[in-house]
Amino acid sequence: MQNKGLVRVFAIIFGLVCLYQLSFTYLTYTKEKEAEVFAINKYPETVENYSKLRETAQKEYLDSIGKDPIFANFSYNEAKTKELNKGLDLKGGINVILQISVRDILEGLANKSKNPAFIQALDATDETQKDSQNTYVDDFFTEFENIPDAQLASPDIFANKNLSDDITFDMSNDLVKPILRTKIDESVTSAFEVLRKRIDKFGVTQPNIQRLGESGRILVELPGAKDVDRVKKLLQSTAQLEFWDVENSQELGIFLGRMNDKLKKELEAKENKTTEKEEVVSEKVADTVKTDSTEVNIAQSDSTQTDADAEIEKLLADSEDSTDVEAQVNPINDLIGPPSVPGALVSVAVNDVKQFNSYLDRKDIRALLPQSLRFVKFAWSKQAKEEDRVDLYALKGNRDNTPELSGGVITDAAQTYDQLNNVVVTMQMDGKGAKKWAEMTGRASQTRGQIAIVLDDIVYSAPGVSKGAITGGRSEISGDFTVEEGQDLANVLRAGKLPASADIIQSEVIGPSLGQEAIDSGIMSFGIALVLILIWMIFYYGKAGAFADVALVVNILFIFGVLAGLKAVLTLPGIAGIVLTIGMSVDANVLIFERIKEELAKGKSQVDAIKDGFSNALSSILDANITTGLTGLILLFFGTGPIKGFATTLLIGILTSLFTAIFITRLFIDGYGRNGKELAFSTAATKNLFKNVNIDFLKKRKVAYIISGIIVVAGLVSLLTPGQGLDKGVDFVGGRTYTVRFAKDVVPTDVEKDLVAVFGSAQAKTLGAKNQLKITTKYKINESGEAVDSEISDLLFKSLKSHLPDNMSYEEFSNGDEDKQVGIMRSMKVGPTIADDIQQAAFVSVIGSLIVVFLYILFRFRRWQFSLGAVAAVFHDVLVVLGVFSLTWKFMPFNMEIDQAFIAAILTVIGYSLNDTVVVFDRIREYFAEHTTWPLNKNINGALNSTLSRTLNTSLTTLLVLIAIFIFAEPLRGFMFSLIIGVLVGTYSSLFIATPVMFDTVSKVGLKEKKKTEEES
């Protein structure tokens, strides 16, 4: 090898750089351990609420030392920005994808237009989007143009005063479209910036926020975040701050009286109608029963009685009030109570708000309002802690239903305290806002009225003004806040309002204790896999194996160093990628050592054998790693979240393992043999293994075809059988899934019954230990928003309460603590729209990888028969893995759901199968060049026998790694099981599918002519 000195210098410098990058991770780890010990000593488990107190103490400790130098003038805060990032599945935290409502943006650009064509197109687009892969705006344009004579530049749609500088009424639809696209993109960018500002102030380290294409979606990752409800409120709050005059007219009381009278009469009329029908039915039943008759008549009377009972039940059902009034004497008066604060109209129990709103939304009820109050706007107060009632306010509205002053005038906001030491939020307005605020407060002072401060349609406070107009533009919001709530509210007000609603269409929440368990299992599997590989290499190759082991350890250092330097995120699938890379990276050294052994067997000197062995193995090594790398790139391009982490580590591992196998191992081998020392590339136990092997693989191909055909057909039948198929996870079908841990073992069927009683449909499966379940439901999956998420989480808690500790609260059940062992450990939500997108991306990634690999092999081997053989083997392997999953998922004792991680596994199987096949094909091509007079079948069988040692060796080492991960990393068992099946079937298919298919489709004469042409040129 030339330039050994340069390679040695580069390896040393690169190793030092990697150690430097990883040193920051070590520094932060030691300081965080110190903080943890400090917190544990300060708050032992005997202290009430010790977990949260420890968390606060740990944070305060790190804040106190954050700027102090800890090593070489680097502080903890500086080191924290340079450490190796851990993903949510290792650290715990929250990952969400937000969908910015493009409909809201379009409605805003159209100035809330009521144009029938515009509304029709929006409604049609909402339906189309459920199954569409297009962006919302693309589908909107399509639906709009389906409406005859509809014009985007209509004066009552987009050619309005707000867009007058950009759109005129004489513009065609094609001219308006790019303008709208630009405006929508600006709004999504604005939403992105608003969210970024909110997250920056939230207090988590290494947050990640990024736009996803042009779909209006924004990815937010908050490692270490634990308060789920707080995060969701922060992200989804539009921060629509408004100031309204409060209506105190006495006519509102008259209106409530009229409401009560109207609803009371409706109820009485329905009750009378039901009574009359019951009497008619009873008479019919009585007549039938009184009839003197035979047994037939008695049977008829029994039948009539049954029919009568059914009719009575139907009539009673029909008589139920459509608003669920339960036999109230006064439907309104029975619900309301006196207001808790001045200015409010009445108070209502929280549980009755939905029913009360159903009355207020009725047009015939609104018609009871006097003419002077026809535009009044009703709004509810913020619920006070430990209170089960909220107040109803009547706000002075107008024809456009817009406030006199909105939050756009706010320039600053801060959490502070009032004179009674209550948490409040103070706000500062700009000049325009200050002027309007002075007008409103001056008017309120004169009329002794109140001004309601409304945030996202909730009245936080409605203070009166007694000392004249308030000048200077300062105002204050009170509302029974905690310090965190006050800080969050000030944060969102400073950041500004979102230009459109933001709905969480996909979310994943992982508790920190589950993350720590993942780290422990990952380290365990990593360590065991590494030890197994190191021992095997020394057992099989002796001292040469020890040199390969050193190169392998250097490779691991390089992988982690590069990850830290690139600020990549290490995930549990990422650790699996590293461990798998370790297993596969051994393949390069195995290829080299086997070729060196072949050269030595030919009688060459050790120096020449080593030189030729490295040279001859290079082509196979490059081809095998390039094909695996191509699947990794496709995975990186189409994957999201943990799958990207897997692909990133796989690609980095391929590059570093190539360098260490080809150069680092060579340095050690050449250095050892420099003084004439003999280096054996085997041990006494392995010296004669696979020598003189002469298996006629091609002769057995028909038997292999039959066996494979039976397995594939059985799998396809299972896949296509209703009720069998695959166990699709929420990634592909949409829904919510929760990993819930209990204090004791539970029976899934018992828990499932309790869940079905609440949610209508739900599944509960054991996940790992018998005290842990994976719960899945599609309840309200088409609805979004923080309120819906909280409702479902609350219902889950209530349905599981009988299986949880008696003293467990909802907050303990739902939120994450460092040492949490009972409750929701992990949760995930995938909306139906994004589930459809994930399925599409999965299909494209698999098909795309096959096409890319087919073309690459065609390019390298110059014959389509090689490509056909490789792709046939890959199709075979994928179908076998899918078939095995379909046939076994119902009785396997671990989770076998088909999710995004499974797609990563399929692509890895494709890469591994191709890796094996390409090595075999390389040797076949080499045999064709060396033995031009041999028959085709002899060349192929000879090549297969010569690579058998390498094939089985690589497969065994990779399987050792995968089995170690399968045993010790419980969350990855389904993922690892698919890879284990893939490695077994991939090894088999390279010998008995890929090569035989190539043999059956290629022409012996054609190959010879091709070789002669190449030699002549």
Side-chain angles (χ1 to χ4, degrees):
M1 180 178 67
Q2 296 178 347
N3 300 318
K4 292 180 184 178
L6 183 62
V7 171
R8 187 179 291 108
V9 170
F10 175 80
I12 292 171
I13 293 175
F14 193 38
L16 291 174
V17 170
C18 290
L19 286 172
Y20 169 77
Q21 292 290 347
L22 292 172
S23 66
F24 297 108
T25 303
Y26 174 75
L27 292 174
T28 56
Y29 172 79
T30 55
K31 289 301 174 184
E32 285 166 5
K33 273 295 180 185
E34 287 178 12
E36 185 180 335
V37 171
F38 168 79
I40 291 173
N41 292 335
K42 187 173 182 180
Y43 297 107
E45 292 186 9
T46 53
V47 177
E48 185 179 355
N49 206 19
Y50 71 91
S51 182
K52 285 199 171 183
L53 291 172
R54 284 180 181 177
E55 184 184 333
T56 303
Q58 192 170 341
K59 187 176 183 303
E60 290 174 350
Y61 180 90
L62 293 173
D63 288 342
S64 67
I65 63 149
K67 296 181 180 179
D68 299 337
I70 54 177
F71 180 76
N73 286 328
F74 282 105
S75 67
Y76 168 79
N77 290 345
E78 291 171 325
K80 191 69 179 173
T81 63
K82 298 176 182 292
E83 72 170 350
L84 178 62
N85 297 334
K86 293 192 287 288
L88 301 186
D89 50 0
L90 297 179
K91 191 174 183 178
I94 299 172
N95 171 307
V96 302
I97 294 179
L98 291 161
Q99 177 69 66
I100 304 300
S101 174
V102 179
R103 174 170 182 148
D104 284 359
I105 297 172
L106 287 169
E107 287 179 334
L109 292 172
N111 204 16
K112 303 296 181 182
S113 172
K114 302 298 182 184
N115 182 287
F118 178 63
I119 300 299
Q120 179 185 336
L122 289 174
D123 292 341
T125 305
D126 289 343
E127 287 300 313
T128 303
Q129 276 283 290
K130 292 178 182 178
D131 301 310
S132 174
Q133 300 301 314
N134 301 324
T135 63
Y136 189 96
V137 69
D138 285 337
D139 282 338
F140 169 75
F141 289 151
T142 301
E143 296 295 341
F144 191 86
E145 290 185 335
N146 287 337
I147 301 171
D149 302 323
Q151 292 296 317
L152 294 170
S154 172
D156 59 344
I157 305 182
F158 294 114
N160 55 54
K161 61 181 180 180
N162 294 335
L163 295 175
S164 58
D165 292 340
D166 301 294
I167 299 174
T168 57
F169 69 90
D170 57 345
M171 294 175 70
S172 67
N173 287 345
D174 289 338
L175 290 175
V176 174
K177 287 178 184 178
I179 298 172
L180 293 179
R181 290 185 194 277
T182 301
K183 295 292 182 182
I184 290 169
D185 184 69
E186 290 173 354
S187 295
V188 175
T189 301
S190 174
F192 177 85
E193 290 302 318
V194 168
L195 289 169
R196 185 180 58 77
K197 290 176 184 177
R198 293 182 186 181
I199 291 166
D200 285 346
K201 299 294 183 181
F202 186 68
V204 297
T205 56
Q206 300 167 335
N208 175 34
I209 175 171
Q210 54 183 287
R211 286 186 61 177
L212 302 178
E214 299 179 355
S215 60
R217 291 172 183 168
I218 297 175
L219 169 69
V220 178
E221 291 180 322
L222 302 176
K226 299 167 189 174
D227 193 334
V228 179
D229 292 337
R230 182 185 176 196
V231 169
K232 288 182 176 179
K233 288 177 183 177
L234 178 80
L235 296 177
Q236 294 185 108
S237 171
T238 57
Q240 188 75 30
L241 182 66
E242 299 171 338
F243 302 88
W244 296 78
D245 289 323
V246 176
E247 182 67 73
N248 292 312
S249 172
Q250 293 181 354
E251 291 183 289
L252 287 168
I254 299 172
F255 164 68
L256 292 176
R258 290 174 179 171
M259 277 181 66
N260 185 73
D261 291 342
K262 179 176 176 60
L263 293 169
K264 184 177 180 181
K265 288 178 181 178
E266 288 178 1
L267 185 61
E268 290 172 349
K270 288 181 179 180
E271 288 175 348
N272 291 336
K273 189 175 181 180
T274 302
T275 303
E276 290 174 3
K277 289 185 177 181
E278 287 176 352
E279 289 174 355
V280 171
V281 172
S282 298
E283 288 176 5
K284 289 181 179 179
V285 173
D287 289 343
T288 305
V289 173
K290 287 177 183 178
T291 302
D292 274 335
S293 59
T294 61
E295 291 180 1
V296 174
N297 287 336
I298 293 173
Q300 288 176 341
S301 71
D302 289 341
S303 175
T304 306
Q305 180 66 50
T306 303
D307 293 342
D309 290 339
E311 187 172 352
I312 289 170
E313 289 180 9
K314 182 178 184 302
L315 290 169
L316 289 173
D318 291 342
S319 69
E320 290 181 2
D321 194 319
S322 61
T323 53
D324 299 325
V325 179
E326 297 180 0
Q328 299 131 314
V329 177
N330 293 290
I332 294 298
N333 295 344
D334 289 348
L335 295 181
I336 62 176
S340 62
V341 291
L345 187 58
V346 291
S347 69
V348 174
V350 172
N351 292 336
D352 294 329
V353 167
K354 184 177 180 180
Q355 181 178 319
F356 205 95
N357 281 337
S358 71
Y359 297 145
L360 293 175
D361 290 340
R362 285 172 51 175
K363 291 183 179 179
D364 58 336
I365 296 294
R366 293 281 303 188
L368 299 175
L369 284 164
Q371 187 67 16
S372 60
L373 297 176
R374 67 185 185 281
F375 296 126
V376 72
K377 176 184 174 72
F378 292 103
W380 297 96
S381 68
K382 178 178 181 289
Q383 183 180 355
K385 293 178 181 61
E386 300 180 2
E387 294 288 340
D388 62 354
R389 298 185 73 82
V390 290
D391 292 313
L392 178 67
Y393 287 87
L395 311 178
K396 291 184 178 179
N398 50 54
R399 185 182 299 277
D400 297 327
N401 197 30
T402 56
E404 193 169 351
L405 185 62
S406 67
V409 300
I410 302 299
T411 58
D412 194 18
Q415 176 266 315
T416 184
Y417 301 90
D418 62 12
Q419 295 177 343
L420 299 177
N421 206 36
N422 295 318
V423 176
V424 296
V425 176
T426 59
M427 300 173 291
Q428 179 63 51
M429 302 178 184
D430 59 20
K432 182 180 178 181
K435 183 179 179 181
K436 179 58 69 175
W437 183 241
E439 291 178 12
M440 292 182 70
T441 53
R443 188 168 62 242
S445 177
Q446 292 175 359
T447 60
R448 297 185 179 278
Q450 285 86 21
I451 297 177
I453 301 175
V454 183
L455 182 67
D456 293 338
D457 293 324
I458 295 175
V459 179
Y460 275 70
S461 58
V465 183
S466 58
K467 297 181 180 179
I470 299 175
T471 58
R474 290 194 68 81
S475 57
E476 183 180 279
I477 304 177
S478 58
D480 195 24
F481 299 119
T482 64
V483 173
E484 285 183 344
E485 288 174 338
Q487 291 172 343
D488 288 347
L489 178 56
N491 181 10
V492 297
L493 292 176
R494 277 196 306 271
K497 71 176 183 179
L498 288 173
S501 61
D503 294 327
I504 294 177
I505 57 173
Q506 180 178 336
S507 65
E508 186 172 17
V509 181
I510 302 173
S513 56
L514 198 63
Q516 186 58 49
E517 291 172 10
I519 291 175
D520 295 340
S521 63
I523 291 174
M524 176 73 74
S525 62
F526 181 85
I528 290 175
L530 181 60
V531 169
L532 288 173
I533 295 295
L534 296 178
I535 291 173
W536 177 260
M537 290 299 288
I538 292 174
F539 165 77
Y540 202 91
Y541 292 108
K543 288 182 180 179
F547 294 147
D549 286 346
V550 174
L552 188 58
V553 173
V554 173
N555 183 28
I556 293 169
L557 171 66
F558 286 174
I559 291 173
F560 281 102
V562 172
L563 284 171
L566 294 177
K567 298 295 180 186
V569 178
L570 183 64
T571 63
L572 192 56
I575 290 178
I578 293 172
V579 179
L580 184 61
T581 301
I582 291 171
M584 294 178 69
S585 67
V586 173
D587 180 52
N589 280 317
V590 170
L591 278 168
I592 292 169
F593 292 167
E594 291 298 322
R595 295 308 295 262
I596 292 174
K597 286 165 66 176
E598 288 180 16
E599 299 304 321
L600 288 171
K602 293 177 182 178
K604 292 184 180 180
S605 68
Q606 181 171 284
V607 174
D608 290 337
I610 290 172
K611 179 182 177 182
D612 292 342
F614 271 91
S615 177
N616 294 334
L618 186 60
S619 175
S620 295
I621 292 171
L622 290 177
D623 282 338
N625 282 278
I626 288 172
T627 50
T628 306
L630 288 172
T631 59
L633 284 172
I634 291 170
L635 202 64
L636 185 68
F637 183 77
F638 288 104
T640 58
I643 295 180
K644 279 187 179 290
F646 177 82
T648 301
T649 54
L650 185 64
L651 290 170
I652 292 171
I654 287 172
L655 294 174
T656 56
S657 60
L658 277 173
F659 175 77
T660 52
I662 295 172
F663 295 108
I664 303 297
T665 306
R666 182 73 179 273
L667 283 175
F668 282 108
I669 290 175
D670 286 351
Y672 184 84
R674 184 182 304 153
N675 298 322
K677 294 181 181 178
E678 290 295 324
L679 180 62
F681 288 86
S682 60
T683 62
T686 61
K687 186 175 182 180
N688 295 315
L689 280 179
F690 302 107
K691 270 194 173 183
N692 303 317
V693 176
N694 188 23
I695 300 172
D696 192 345
F697 288 97
L698 292 179
K699 191 174 182 180
K700 305 177 188 300
R701 70 185 188 281
K702 291 182 180 178
V703 176
Y705 286 161
I706 293 171
I707 294 172
S708 293
I710 293 171
I711 296 172
V712 170
V713 169
L716 287 173
V717 169
S718 179
L719 286 166
L720 298 174
T721 300
Q724 184 65 30
L726 295 169
D727 184 20
K728 291 184 180 179
V730 295
D731 283 12
F732 293 126
V733 297
R736 291 178 172 85
T737 182
Y738 302 87
T739 299
V740 181
R741 188 173 293 173
F742 301 85
K744 55 186 179 181
D745 293 352
V746 291
V747 180
T749 51
D750 293 343
V751 175
E752 192 170 291
K753 288 178 183 176
D754 295 335
L755 293 166
V756 170
V758 174
F759 293 109
S761 66
Q763 286 184 332
K765 305 175 187 175
T766 300
L767 183 64
K770 291 183 179 179
N771 70 327
Q772 187 166 276
L773 296 180
K774 187 169 188 176
I775 295 169
T776 305
T777 178
K778 288 189 177 183
Y779 180 74
K780 289 191 175 181
I781 190 56
N782 288 315
E783 298 182 32
S784 57
E786 186 271 330
V788 176
D789 291 340
S790 297
E791 175 196 351
I792 294 171
S793 184
D794 183 58
L795 288 173
L796 180 66
F797 173 64
K798 289 176 180 176
S799 63
L800 297 177
K801 203 160 189 179
S802 60
H803 305 279
L804 297 168
D806 294 336
N807 59 346
M808 178 168 244
S809 67
Y810 168 74
E811 185 178 15
E812 292 171 330
F813 172 77
S814 59
N815 285 329
D817 293 324
E818 293 287 350
D819 55 352
K820 181 176 180 178
Q821 292 300 320
V822 178
I824 297 177
M825 310 300 290
R826 181 174 190 161
S827 65
M828 186 174 184
K829 168 195 170 184
V830 180
T833 301
I834 199 166
D836 186 53
D837 294 347
I838 291 170
Q839 283 194 73
Q840 183 77 8
F843 177 79
V844 170
S845 61
V846 173
I847 298 300
S849 65
L850 292 176
I851 293 173
V852 168
V853 167
F854 180 91
L855 294 175
Y856 177 77
I857 294 178
L858 184 63
F859 167 75
R860 287 291 290 130
F861 293 93
R862 308 289 176 168
R863 281 190 168 272
W864 62 267
Q865 291 92 342
F866 284 95
S867 292
L868 179 64
V871 172
V874 168
F875 261 114
H876 166 272
D877 298 346
V878 170
L879 289 175
V880 169
V881 174
L882 290 173
V884 169
F885 264 65
S886 178
L887 290 165
T888 61
W889 69 268
K890 286 191 175 180
F891 59 83
M892 279 294 189
F894 50 86
N895 178 41
M896 294 179 69
E897 279 189 354
I898 305 302
D899 53 17
Q900 292 186 78
F902 180 79
I903 299 304
I906 290 294
L907 288 172
T908 306
V909 168
I910 291 173
Y912 184 87
S913 177
L914 289 168
N915 184 307
D916 218 21
T917 301
V918 166
V919 170
V920 171
F921 282 179
D922 259 323
R923 183 56 66 92
I924 291 172
R925 181 175 57 180
E926 188 177 324
Y927 262 61
F928 286 156
E930 290 180 2
H931 309 288
T932 56
T933 60
W934 284 13
L936 181 61
N937 62 337
K938 185 177 180 181
N939 265 320
I940 291 176
N941 279 321
L944 291 177
N945 282 293
S946 68
T947 59
L948 192 59
S949 174
R950 171 263 162 199
T951 299
L952 296 180
N953 215 334
T954 299
S955 298
L956 181 60
T957 53
T958 306
L959 280 172
L960 287 173
V961 172
L962 296 177
I963 291 170
I965 307 173
F966 176 82
I967 293 172
F968 294 100
E970 190 278 329
L972 289 174
R973 278 187 184 159
F975 182 70
M976 287 298 112
F977 181 71
S978 60
L979 291 180
I980 290 170
I981 299 299
V983 168
L984 289 171
V985 75
T987 303
Y988 160 84
S989 68
S990 65
L991 298 172
F992 294 103
I993 301 296
T995 306
V997 167
M998 182 271 293
F999 173 76
D1000 286 333
T1001 55
V1002 79
S1003 165
K1004 177 182 176 182
V1005 176
L1007 273 176
K1008 281 194 170 184
E1009 289 175 353
K1010 179 72 177 176
K1011 291 298 173 186
K1012 287 178 182 177
T1013 303
E1014 288 176 354
E1015 288 169 7
E1016 289 170 2
S1017 62

PDB file of all heavy atoms in Angstrom, residues 92-106:
ATOM      1  N   GLY A  92     -36.229  10.766  26.004  1.00  0.00           N
ATOM      2  CA  GLY A  92     -37.597  11.161  26.331  1.00  0.00           C
ATOM      3  C   GLY A  92     -37.878  12.534  25.740  1.00  0.00           C
ATOM      4  O   GLY A  92     -36.970  13.303  25.441  1.00  0.00           O
ATOM      5  N   GLY A  93     -39.128  12.828  25.543  1.00  0.00           N
ATOM      6  CA  GLY A  93     -39.490  14.132  25.007  1.00  0.00           C
ATOM      7  C   GLY A  93     -40.697  14.044  24.101  1.00  0.00           C
ATOM      8  O   GLY A  93     -41.434  13.051  24.112  1.00  0.00           O
ATOM      9  N   ILE A  94     -40.877  15.074  23.304  1.00  0.00           N
ATOM     10  CA  ILE A  94     -42.081  15.195  22.486  1.00  0.00           C
ATOM     11  C   ILE A  94     -41.687  15.515  21.053  1.00  0.00           C
ATOM     12  O   ILE A  94     -40.856  16.387  20.801  1.00  0.00           O
ATOM     13  CB  ILE A  94     -43.009  16.304  23.047  1.00  0.00           C
ATOM     14  CG1 ILE A  94     -43.438  15.938  24.466  1.00  0.00           C
ATOM     15  CG2 ILE A  94     -44.233  16.505  22.171  1.00  0.00           C
ATOM     16  CD1 ILE A  94     -44.198  17.028  25.180  1.00  0.00           C
ATOM     17  N   ASN A  95     -42.308  14.801  20.131  1.00  0.00           N
ATOM     18  CA  ASN A  95     -42.117  15.019  18.701  1.00  0.00           C
ATOM     19  C   ASN A  95     -43.492  15.202  18.077  1.00  0.00           C
ATOM     20  O   ASN A  95     -44.357  14.342  18.232  1.00  0.00           O
ATOM     21  CB  ASN A  95     -41.395  13.802  18.088  1.00  0.00           C
ATOM     22  CG  ASN A  95     -41.344  13.837  16.573  1.00  0.00           C
ATOM     23  OD1 ASN A  95     -42.359  13.991  15.891  1.00  0.00           O
ATOM     24  ND2 ASN A  95     -40.173  13.647  16.027  1.00  0.00           N
ATOM     25  N   VAL A  96     -43.715  16.325  17.411  1.00  0.00           N
ATOM     26  CA  VAL A  96     -45.019  16.552  16.784  1.00  0.00           C
ATOM     27  C   VAL A  96     -44.825  17.080  15.366  1.00  0.00           C
ATOM     28  O   VAL A  96     -43.810  17.704  15.048  1.00  0.00           O
ATOM     29  CB  VAL A  96     -45.894  17.558  17.571  1.00  0.00           C
ATOM     30  CG1 VAL A  96     -46.127  17.095  18.986  1.00  0.00           C
ATOM     31  CG2 VAL A  96     -45.292  18.949  17.563  1.00  0.00           C
ATOM     32  N   ILE A  97     -45.797  16.779  14.522  1.00  0.00           N
ATOM     33  CA  ILE A  97     -45.892  17.418  13.213  1.00  0.00           C
ATOM     34  C   ILE A  97     -47.162  18.255  13.226  1.00  0.00           C
ATOM     35  O   ILE A  97     -48.257  17.730  13.442  1.00  0.00           O
ATOM     36  CB  ILE A  97     -45.923  16.395  12.062  1.00  0.00           C
ATOM     37  CG1 ILE A  97     -44.583  15.658  11.982  1.00  0.00           C
ATOM     38  CG2 ILE A  97     -46.208  17.084  10.735  1.00  0.00           C
ATOM     39  CD1 ILE A  97     -44.519  14.604  10.900  1.00  0.00           C
ATOM     40  N   LEU A  98     -46.998  19.543  13.035  1.00  0.00           N
ATOM     41  CA  LEU A  98     -48.117  20.481  13.030  1.00  0.00           C
ATOM     42  C   LEU A  98     -48.550  20.761  11.596  1.00  0.00           C
ATOM     43  O   LEU A  98     -47.709  20.956  10.722  1.00  0.00           O
ATOM     44  CB  LEU A  98     -47.711  21.798  13.702  1.00  0.00           C
ATOM     45  CG  LEU A  98     -47.467  21.755  15.214  1.00  0.00           C
ATOM     46  CD1 LEU A  98     -46.642  22.955  15.628  1.00  0.00           C
ATOM     47  CD2 LEU A  98     -48.770  21.731  15.971  1.00  0.00           C
ATOM     48  N   GLN A  99     -49.837  20.777  11.379  1.00  0.00           N
ATOM     49  CA  GLN A  99     -50.376  21.162  10.079  1.00  0.00           C
ATOM     50  C   GLN A  99     -50.945  22.572  10.188  1.00  0.00           C
ATOM     51  O   GLN A  99     -51.927  22.801  10.880  1.00  0.00           O
ATOM     52  CB  GLN A  99     -51.478  20.200   9.636  1.00  0.00           C
ATOM     53  CG  GLN A  99     -52.145  20.577   8.319  1.00  0.00           C
ATOM     54  CD  GLN A  99     -51.232  20.416   7.123  1.00  0.00           C
ATOM     55  OE1 GLN A  99     -50.830  19.318   6.768  1.00  0.00           O
ATOM     56  NE2 GLN A  99     -50.887  21.519   6.494  1.00  0.00           N
ATOM     57  N   ILE A 100     -50.280  23.519   9.549  1.00  0.00           N
ATOM     58  CA  ILE A 100     -50.809  24.875   9.498  1.00  0.00           C
ATOM     59  C   ILE A 100     -51.995  24.875   8.541  1.00  0.00           C
ATOM     60  O   ILE A 100     -51.884  24.421   7.405  1.00  0.00           O
ATOM     61  CB  ILE A 100     -49.734  25.879   9.028  1.00  0.00           C
ATOM     62  CG1 ILE A 100     -48.493  25.787   9.931  1.00  0.00           C
ATOM     63  CG2 ILE A 100     -50.287  27.288   9.017  1.00  0.00           C
ATOM     64  CD1 ILE A 100     -48.756  26.091  11.392  1.00  0.00           C
ATOM     65  N   SER A 101     -53.124  25.356   9.002  1.00  0.00           N
ATOM     66  CA  SER A 101     -54.347  25.285   8.201  1.00  0.00           C
ATOM     67  C   SER A 101     -54.269  26.221   7.001  1.00  0.00           C
ATOM     68  O   SER A 101     -54.377  27.444   7.144  1.00  0.00           O
ATOM     69  CB  SER A 101     -55.567  25.637   9.049  1.00  0.00           C
ATOM     70  OG  SER A 101     -56.724  25.694   8.253  1.00  0.00           O
ATOM     71  N   VAL A 102     -54.080  25.643   5.822  1.00  0.00           N
ATOM     72  CA  VAL A 102     -54.041  26.447   4.596  1.00  0.00           C
ATOM     73  C   VAL A 102     -55.437  26.998   4.305  1.00  0.00           C
ATOM     74  O   VAL A 102     -55.584  28.073   3.720  1.00  0.00           O
ATOM     75  CB  VAL A 102     -53.513  25.612   3.416  1.00  0.00           C
ATOM     76  CG1 VAL A 102     -53.495  26.428   2.124  1.00  0.00           C
ATOM     77  CG2 VAL A 102     -52.102  25.113   3.719  1.00  0.00           C
ATOM     78  N   ARG A 103     -56.463  26.283   4.750  1.00  0.00           N
ATOM     79  CA  ARG A 103     -57.834  26.802   4.590  1.00  0.00           C
ATOM     80  C   ARG A 103     -57.977  28.119   5.350  1.00  0.00           C
ATOM     81  O   ARG A 103     -58.537  29.082   4.822  1.00  0.00           O
ATOM     82  CB  ARG A 103     -58.859  25.789   5.101  1.00  0.00           C
ATOM     83  CG  ARG A 103     -60.284  26.361   5.080  1.00  0.00           C
ATOM     84  CD  ARG A 103     -61.351  25.349   5.351  1.00  0.00           C
ATOM     85  NE  ARG A 103     -62.670  25.993   5.261  1.00  0.00           N
ATOM     86  CZ  ARG A 103     -63.768  25.393   4.859  1.00  0.00           C
ATOM     87  NH1 ARG A 103     -63.736  24.119   4.526  1.00  0.00           N
ATOM     88  NH2 ARG A 103     -64.918  26.047   4.799  1.00  0.00           N
ATOM     89  N   ASP A 104     -57.482  28.163   6.574  1.00  0.00           N
ATOM     90  CA  ASP A 104     -57.551  29.409   7.345  1.00  0.00           C
ATOM     91  C   ASP A 104     -56.822  30.537   6.620  1.00  0.00           C
ATOM     92  O   ASP A 104     -57.290  31.685   6.605  1.00  0.00           O
ATOM     93  CB  ASP A 104     -56.915  29.212   8.729  1.00  0.00           C
ATOM     94  CG  ASP A 104     -57.819  28.438   9.670  1.00  0.00           C
ATOM     95  OD1 ASP A 104     -58.935  28.070   9.248  1.00  0.00           O
ATOM     96  OD2 ASP A 104     -57.407  28.198  10.822  1.00  0.00           O
ATOM     97  N   ILE A 105     -55.666  30.204   6.042  1.00  0.00           N
ATOM     98  CA  ILE A 105     -54.889  31.236   5.337  1.00  0.00           C
ATOM     99  C   ILE A 105     -55.665  31.746   4.130  1.00  0.00           C
ATOM    100  O   ILE A 105     -55.751  32.964   3.891  1.00  0.00           O
ATOM    101  CB  ILE A 105     -53.518  30.670   4.904  1.00  0.00           C
ATOM    102  CG1 ILE A 105     -52.683  30.285   6.140  1.00  0.00           C
ATOM    103  CG2 ILE A 105     -52.762  31.684   4.057  1.00  0.00           C
ATOM    104  CD1 ILE A 105     -51.406  29.549   5.803  1.00  0.00           C
ATOM    105  N   LEU A 106     -56.256  30.825   3.367  1.00  0.00           N
ATOM    106  CA  LEU A 106     -57.038  31.226   2.191  1.00  0.00           C
ATOM    107  C   LEU A 106     -58.242  32.078   2.605  1.00  0.00           C
ATOM    108  O   LEU A 106     -58.562  33.081   1.951  1.00  0.00           O
ATOM    109  CB  LEU A 106     -57.502  29.997   1.421  1.00  0.00           C
ATOM    110  CG  LEU A 106     -56.423  29.240   0.633  1.00  0.00           C
ATOM    111  CD1 LEU A 106     -56.953  27.901   0.140  1.00  0.00           C
ATOM    112  CD2 LEU A 106     -55.928  30.075  -0.542  1.00  0.00           C
TER     113      LEU A 106
END
